[in-house]
Amino acid sequence: MIRYALTTVALSLLLGPAWADNIPASGPGLVTENPWQPQDGDRIAFDVLRKGKPFGTHTVSFAVEPNGTLKATTDVRLKAGLGPITVFHYELDATETWKDGTLVALKGAVDDNGKDGSVSAVRAGDELEVNGTEYTGEAPLGILPSSHWNFAQTQAKELLSTEDGELLKVKVIDKGMDTVTVAGKPVDAHHYLMDSAIDVDLWYDDQGRWVKLSFVARDQQIDYVLTQPY
């Protein structure tokens, strides 16, 4: 149900030119220079709210190896219940491997309220070979995973699901500037709508860092609140 909001900005310039090529053209409120670069040990941490109440957590952790390879690890844990009884749970574990600004490997596994999914992808020449529960085949080299931390997603037309390998068609609409709350403080952020099977609202600050996410699923409002500043 929440594929478009989970699987979840900015690749290091040190990892090669591909990231720089993905930065949108200059314009009001857009990132124009010095985009955020994930460093070894960086971590993005969100509290997830459902109708304003605690629903779980979503974190992305980064590690940079001595050879410059970047690994981005996503961990999502969501749960809703009635008293001691769990009526819904969602768990996602995914690891992206980036080399020279390009996604070269992806492993993901999801338990969506008892429905399991998985994906494994690896670079093979000028393509990615994808083996997933929803898609097995080739994907174009340069495709972005659906993890939302990468600001280049604001220019994407297709994403690779970190749940099950599905190739997701998306249309991103620039909604202008907003003010969002980050760790209790107001922050100017650029708002984008990712139009797909489930519409997702995304916000990035002036450095291209992911700071907020919202969407509606099953008539329920879901909000991501950033709790750990970059």
Side-chain angles (χ1 to χ4, degrees), residues 74-132:
T74 295
D75 181 285
V76 184
R77 297 292 183 268
L78 307 177
K79 184 170 69 173
L82 295 173
I85 302 174
T86 298
V87 296
F88 174 84
H89 68 274
Y90 178 98
E91 298 181 356
L92 172 69
D93 297 284
T95 299
E96 308 161 28
T97 303
W98 296 82
K99 182 65 174 176
D100 297 328
T102 300
L103 181 71
V104 296
L106 170 67
K107 288 189 71 68
V110 67
D111 175 357
D112 186 352
N113 208 35
K115 180 181 178 181
D116 294 335
S118 64
V119 58
S120 176
V122 63
R123 180 175 183 172
D126 293 331
E127 296 173 320
L128 279 177
E129 290 187 354
V130 180
N131 184 2

Side-chain angles (χ1 to χ4, degrees), residues 142-153:
I143 194 171
L144 299 175
S146 58
S147 48
H148 296 321
W149 63 266
N150 192 330
F151 180 70
Q153 277 197 4

Side-chain angles (χ1 to χ4, degrees), residues 124-175:
D126 293 331
E127 296 173 320
L128 279 177
E129 290 187 354
V130 180
N131 184 2
T133 49
E134 289 297 321
Y135 173 75
T136 295
E138 298 172 343
L141 198 63
I143 194 171
L144 299 175
S146 58
S147 48
H148 296 321
W149 63 266
N150 192 330
F151 180 70
Q153 277 197 4
T154 61
Q155 298 295 293
K157 295 182 179 179
E158 186 175 58
L159 300 175
L160 175 62
S161 170
T162 57
E163 290 184 339
D164 52 29
E166 184 178 354
L167 303 183
L168 307 169
K169 299 296 183 183
V170 298
K171 178 182 179 182
V172 182
I173 301 168
D174 187 341
K175 303 291 286 186

